[in-house]
């Protein structure tokens, strides 16, 4: 599972915060017990003293020290438990409480990530993808061929097969996807399906509408105080496992946005990082709107999926009005 350093640090901080909260809670309880449960603190001091004495005996070669220590410690701890019970406190009152008992809130079991760490990875990837709510509706469980027929159906089925192959071979083969065709035919939906499957596998996915992407780059570029934000944005754009650019062609197309698009595509291709693009533009319109370099990058390095058919969004809207 791939995480950037900042993503990994974010997760590790959650474990550090858990541990800090638990230490504070235990410190408060220990202070309470020592202050309010008569005799408990003295027993704790005896436990410490006893451990030191038997440790010295062990160092001197006295093999009987260890079993004697276990017996005597057991007696003292039983007395402590009785004191807690008499004070109306449970026997586990001074035991640490973990969110995850499996790894005891360290995130690791030995040198392997705990199941809770892996779940946090997926949750973080969803959060940072900009698609968390979107993917509740855009996933393969909601896939339907009912809106297509004839040539439109054939094209959509081929696009779905291409997506499934893209996901299946994501770790072994470098691919990019380019969905184009008529409005409302499922191009963004398929982008979402791909995103969800890869995020669930632990891959970092970043989603932007073309408008939002170039507006953010422009805002950070021309704001002197946002230089650090621009550096961080470029780092995310260039290093995430999958970048999705939705509705290419809806942004204001000028020399700046075109150069930024080329730089982004070129940099990710050099790094073998995949891109998924959806657009309502035809290939000819793509060529007319953008530079030959961009057109060449896309047509040479992307699997092209033409999707046509009825506007599904309008179809669903008409059905809802009738109801």
């Amino acid at each position: 599972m791939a995480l950037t350093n900042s993503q990994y640090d974010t997760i590790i901080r959650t474990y550090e915060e858990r541990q800090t909260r638990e230490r504070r809670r235990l410190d408060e309880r220990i202070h309470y017990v020592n202050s309010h449960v008569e005799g408990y603190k003295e027993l704790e001091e005896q436990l410490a003293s006893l451990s030191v004495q038997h440790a010295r005996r062990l160092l001197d070669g006295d093999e009987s020290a260890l079993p004697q220590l276990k017996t005597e410690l057991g007696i003292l701890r039983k007395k402590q438990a009785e004191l807690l019970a008499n004070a109306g406190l449970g026997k586990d009152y001074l035991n640490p409480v973990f969110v995850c008992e499996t790894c005891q809130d360290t995130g690791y079991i030995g040198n392997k990530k705990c199941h809770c760490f892996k779940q946090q990875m997926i949750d973080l990837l969803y959060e940072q993808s900009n698609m968390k709510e979107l993917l509740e509706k855009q996933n393969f469980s909601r896939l339907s061929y009912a809106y297509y027929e004839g040539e439109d159906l054939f094209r959509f089925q081929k696009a779905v097969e291409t997506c499934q192959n893209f996901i299946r071979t994501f770790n072994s083969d470098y691919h990019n996807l380019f969905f184009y065709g008529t409005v409302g035919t499922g191009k963004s939906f398929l982008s979402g399906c791909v995103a969800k499957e890869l995020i669930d596998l632990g891959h970092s996915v970043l989603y932007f509408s073309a408008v939002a992407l170039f507006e953010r780059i422009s805002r950070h570029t021309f704001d002197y105080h946002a230089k650090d934000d621009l550096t961080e944005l470029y780092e995310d754009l260039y290093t995430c496992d999958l970048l999705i650019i939705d509705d290419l062609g809806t942004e204001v197309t000028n020399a700046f946005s075109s150069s930024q698009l080329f730089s982004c595509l070129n940099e990710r291709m050099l790094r073998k990082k995949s891109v998924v693009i959806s657009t309502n533009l035809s290939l000819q319109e793509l060529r007319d709107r953008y530079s030959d370099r961009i057109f060449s990058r896309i047509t040479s390095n992307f699997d092209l999926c033409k999707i046509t058919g009825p506007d599904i969004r309008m179809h669903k809207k008409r059905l809802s009005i009738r109801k």
Side-chain angles (χ1 to χ4, degrees), residues 261-280:
L261 176 60
F262 175 80
S263 296
C264 184
L265 295 179
N266 194 57
E267 185 64 31
R268 287 189 64 84
M269 288 174 189
L270 291 174
R271 298 182 186 216
K272 299 295 183 184
K273 295 290 187 179
S274 295
V275 180
V276 172
I277 296 175
S278 69
T279 181
N280 293 326

Side-chain angles (χ1 to χ4, degrees), residues 204-229:
S204 55
V205 177
L206 195 58
Y207 166 91
F208 282 101
S209 69
V211 172
L213 174 60
F214 295 113
E215 280 185 354
R216 184 175 294 190
I217 293 175
S218 177
R219 185 168 66 250
H220 291 343
T221 299
F222 299 109
D223 182 353
Y224 174 79
H225 299 291
K227 294 298 181 183
D228 291 340
D229 293 332

Side-chain angles (χ1 to χ4, degrees), residues 130-139 142 188 192 207 246:
N130 297 330
M131 300 184 77
K132 188 172 183 178
E133 295 180 0
L134 194 65
L135 296 187
E136 293 177 1
K137 298 179 180 179
Q138 294 186 356
N139 57 74
R142 291 175 173 260
S188 297
Y207 166 91
D246 194 27

Side-chain angles (χ1 to χ4, degrees), residues 1-3 7 118-136 138 166-167 170 191-207 240-244:
M1 294 185 180
L3 282 179
Q7 289 171 330
K118 293 176 182 178
Q119 186 59 52
Q120 283 207 72
M121 288 176 65
I122 292 173
D123 291 345
L124 178 64
L125 293 173
Y126 266 107
E127 195 67 42
Q128 295 188 347
S129 71
N130 297 330
M131 300 184 77
K132 188 172 183 178
E133 295 180 0
L134 194 65
L135 296 187
E136 293 177 1
Q138 294 186 356
F166 178 84
I167 295 162
F170 191 79
S191 298
C193 290
V194 170
K196 185 180 189 312
E197 293 296 314
L198 291 178
I199 291 175
D200 286 347
L201 290 172
H203 293 289
S204 55
V205 177
L206 195 58
Y207 166 91
C240 64
D241 294 335
L242 176 66
L243 173 65
I244 296 177

Side-chain angles (χ1 to χ4, degrees), residues 29 50 102:
R29 291 195 168 195
L50 194 63
T102 306

